[in-house]
Amino acid sequence: MAAIQTARERARADITAQITAAARRQLAVDGAPGLSLRAVARELGMVSSAVYRYVANRDELLTMLIVEAYDSLGDAVEATLVGAAGAPPFERFVAAATAVREWAIAHPHEYALVYGSPVPGYAAPETTIAPATRVTLALIGIIDHAHRAGLLEPPNGAVADVDRGVAADFEAVRDAVGAELPDDVLVRVIAAWTQLFGFVSFEVFGQTRNVIHHHAELFEATVGAVARLVGLVPTRSAAT
Amino acid sequence: MAAIQTARERARADITAQITAAARRQLAVDGAPGLSLRAVARELGMVSSAVYRYVANRDELLTMLIVEAYDSLGDAVEATLVGAAGAPPFERFVAAATAVREWAIAHPHEYALVYGSPVPGYAAPETTIAPATRVTLALIGIIDHAHRAGLLEPPNGAVADVDRGVAADFEAVRDAVGAELPDDVLVRVIAAWTQLFGFVSFEVFGQTRNVIHHHAELFEATVGAVARLVGLVPTRSAAT
DNA sequence: TGTACATCAGTGAACGCGCGTTCACTGATGTAC
DNA sequence: TGTACATCAGTGAACGCGCGTTCACTGATGTAC
C-alpha cells in the first residue's frame, strides 16, 4: 500500500479517470439526463458490465461528476485569486465573479449539473458538500478581508435590522467560515452572491437570448453594482 | 365554427386539458426528463397512441407545459400587483418579487422547467416568448413608473458609463417594453432581476439547504436591498 | 527462482423494463341533401 | 325526419430502441511460501 502503487492500482486509477472523462464528454453533449453507463462503456470499448468494476451504479458516477465539477470551478476561482493576490478587494471580487462566469460558459453542462435543476431521484451525498462550498468561501473571504481592513463602505439607505431567524443563520455562517461580517453586510453579500449566479444561470440557460447580446460587458456592470452594494469600492472610483 | 362549439370540439378541448393536467402532475413527481406520453395516456386510461390525436409529439407537450407555467407565474404576479394597486413602488416591487418566490416554491418542477437547466435536445419555439416575458415586463413596469413619477433615488457611488454594446441592447429593451429608464438604472434593474431569480433558484434547487433555514425573511431582506439599489425607497424609510 | 493459490478485470448473455412513434382498424359522431 | 357519406376518436399490435443491473465464466495479474 502506502504511496507506491502496484501496476494494478495504477491501472485502476487510470481507467477510473477514463470513465469519468468519458462521462464528462457525454455530459457535455446530452446533459445529465442523457448520461448512461452503457454509453460510457461503449466509448471506452468495454462491455457495459465491466464499468461496474469501477463504479457501483449510475448515481455514483453522477456524484463523481458533481464533485469534479465543483472542484474544477473551485480551482478556476482560486487560481484567479492567486493571480490577483495584490489587488484591492473590489478588483478581486470582480475577478472572482468573472472567473465563475467564464468557467460556466466554458462548461455549460457541468454548470447545469451543479447549479441547475436537481436531477430527479438523485440525492447528492455528503461527499459533495465540501467541494461545493469552495467558491462561496472564496467570495465571502474577499469581503471579510476587506471588512477587517476597514475598507468596506456600504452605501446609504442601509438594511433594516435582520429577522431573528436570519440572524441565527448568519451566526452559524460566520462560525462555519470564520468571518466577522455584521448582519447588514451579510444580507448584501447574499444578494451579491445570488445575483452573480442568477446572472450566469440566465446567460448559460439562454434566458436572455435574443435580448442581451453583450453579456460580458453587462456582467461586469452588474457585478460592479452589487460589489458597491456590498461596500466594496473601486480604486480611483469615478464616484458619483 | 365561431364561438359556439360542437360537442366534438368541446370534448376535444376537454381532453386536451386533461392531458396537460396529467402531464403537469407527472412533471411535479418526476420532473421534465421523466415526462412520458405513455405515462400520460396510462393515467387517463387511454391507449398510448390515442394521445397522438391531441398532441403531435413529446416536444409539443413540453411546449404546452412551458407556456402554461409561464402563464401561471404571470397570472400570479399580475394578480398580486392588482391587489397592490395603490401601494408605492417599493412595496409593489417587493410584493411582485415575493409572488415570484411563492409561486416557485408552490410549483418547483414547473419553475425548474422554465428557469432551470434547458432540456437537452429541446428548443423552445416562438410560442413561448410572449408568456415568458410577462413577469419581466411587470417588474420593469414598476420601476419605470416610479422613474416617470420622479420617485427613483439611486444610491451614491453610481455606475460608470455603460459599454456601447450594452447601451445598444438597452436601447432595444426600452423600445420593446416602452420604458424610459436611463442606462445606469437599467444596469441596476438587471442586477435586481437576476438577483431575484438567483435567490429563488438557489432556494428551490436546494443550494442553500442546511445553511439557510429562514428563507422567507432573508429573501425579503435581500429584495429590499436590491430594490434600494435600483433607487426604490421604502415609505417611512428608517434610513441609514 | 519456482510453484500454488487468491484476487481481480473484463466477457457475454440475459432479465425486465419503458420509451416514442406508426399503422391499419372499428365504431361513433357529425354533415349534406 | 331519414338516409349516405365523411370525419374523427380511440384501439391494439407492432417496430426498434436503449437503459440499468446481475451472473457465471475465463484469463491475467499479484502474493505467499
Side-chain angles (χ1 to χ4, degrees):
Chain A
M1 286 292 145
I4 292 154
Q5 296 177 310
T6 67
R8 238 186 211 165
E9 282 170 335
R10 230 172 309 123
R12 181 154 246 284
D14 201 71
I15 293 184
T16 308
Q18 277 182 254
I19 286 175
T20 58
R24 229 178 306 124
R25 253 171 277 136
Q26 251 188 69
L27 186 68
V29 176
D30 298 318
L35 180 68
S36 109
L37 288 186
R38 289 188 103 108
V40 167
R42 231 177 287 131
E43 185 174 333
L44 298 181
M46 310 170 96
V47 97
S48 71
S49 52
V51 179
Y52 285 85
R53 295 273 162 214
Y54 300 90
V55 160
N57 50 42
R58 207 193 102 123
D59 275 10
E60 190 181 294
L61 182 58
L62 256 187
T63 300
M64 292 163 80
L65 289 179
I66 289 173
V67 169
E68 281 191 10
Y70 276 129
D71 274 329
S72 164
L73 172 60
D75 287 349
V77 170
E78 286 171 13
T80 296
L81 287 176
V82 168
F90 181 95
E91 281 72 16
R92 283 171 65 77
F93 185 82
V94 172
T98 304
V100 170
R101 171 174 176 271
E102 284 172 359
W103 182 89
I105 290 170
H107 308 85
H109 282 98
E110 292 178 68
Y111 179 83
L113 180 63
V114 293
Y115 289 109
S117 333
V119 178
Y122 171 83
E126 293 192 4
T127 339
T128 62
I129 297 180
T133 53
R134 286 175 60 188
V135 174
T136 307
L137 233 61
L139 292 170
I140 295 191
I142 297 169
I143 298 161
D144 191 51
H145 273 87
H147 169 70
R148 288 170 199 252
L151 297 175
L152 240 40
E153 303 176 15
N156 57 0
V159 192
D161 272 359
V162 120
D163 168 89
R164 286 181 51 190
V166 173
D169 287 343
F170 280 179
E171 194 55 43
V173 168
R174 271 189 293 262
D175 277 7
V177 309
E180 283 185 355
L181 299 166
D183 288 354
D184 63 325
V185 174
L186 265 184
V187 166
R188 296 157 191 261
V189 168
I190 299 282
W193 178 58
T194 50
Q195 191 281 320
L196 163 58
F197 285 92
F199 188 107
V200 171
S201 291
F202 270 8
E203 178 179 359
V204 172
F205 297 164
Q207 217 72 33
T208 51
R209 201 181 328 137
N210 302 328
V211 178
I212 289 164
H213 304 94
H214 299 82
H215 280 98
E217 295 79 6
L218 180 55
F219 178 77
E220 210 189 324
T222 59
V223 167
V226 295
R228 268 177 289 248
L229 175 67
V230 166
L232 295 172
V233 280
T235 40
R236 309 168 171 277
S237 145
T240 303
Chain B
M1 285 292 147
I4 292 154
Q5 296 179 309
T6 67
R8 236 184 213 165
E9 282 170 337
R10 229 171 309 123
R12 181 155 245 284
D14 201 72
I15 293 182
T16 308
Q18 277 182 254
I19 286 173
T20 57
R24 229 178 306 125
R25 251 171 279 136
Q26 250 188 67
L27 185 69
V29 175
D30 298 318
L35 180 67
S36 110
L37 288 186
R38 288 189 104 109
V40 166
R42 230 177 288 127
E43 184 174 333
L44 298 181
M46 308 170 98
V47 94
S48 71
S49 52
V51 178
Y52 285 84
R53 295 275 162 211
Y54 299 91
V55 160
N57 49 42
R58 206 194 103 123
D59 276 9
E60 191 181 293
L61 182 59
L62 256 187
T63 300
M64 292 164 80
L65 290 180
I66 289 173
V67 169
E68 280 191 10
Y70 276 130
D71 274 330
S72 164
L73 172 59
D75 288 349
V77 171
E78 288 171 11
T80 297
L81 286 176
V82 168
F90 181 95
E91 280 72 16
R92 282 171 66 78
F93 184 84
V94 173
T98 305
V100 170
R101 173 174 175 270
E102 284 172 359
W103 182 88
I105 290 170
H107 308 85
H109 282 98
E110 292 179 68
Y111 180 83
L113 179 64
V114 293
Y115 289 108
S117 333
V119 178
Y122 170 84
E126 294 192 1
T127 338
T128 61
I129 297 180
T133 53
R134 287 175 61 187
V135 174
T136 308
L137 234 60
L139 292 170
I140 295 192
I142 297 169
I143 298 160
D144 191 50
H145 272 89
H147 170 69
R148 288 170 198 252
L151 297 174
L152 239 43
E153 303 175 15
N156 56 1
V159 192
D161 271 358
V162 119
D163 169 88
R164 285 182 51 189
V166 172
D169 286 344
F170 280 179
E171 195 53 44
V173 168
R174 271 188 293 262
D175 278 7
V177 309
E180 283 185 355
L181 298 167
D183 287 355
D184 63 324
V185 174
L186 265 183
V187 166
R188 296 156 193 261
V189 168
I190 299 282
W193 178 57
T194 49
Q195 191 280 321
L196 163 57
F197 285 93
F199 188 107
V200 171
S201 291
F202 271 8
E203 178 179 1
V204 171
F205 297 163
Q207 217 70 34
T208 51
R209 200 180 328 135
N210 301 329
V211 178
I212 290 164
H213 303 93
H214 298 82
H215 281 98
E217 295 79 6
L218 179 56
F219 178 77
E220 209 188 323
T222 60
V223 166
V226 295
R228 268 177 290 249
L229 174 68
V230 166
L232 295 172
V233 280
T235 40
R236 309 169 171 278
S237 142
T240 302

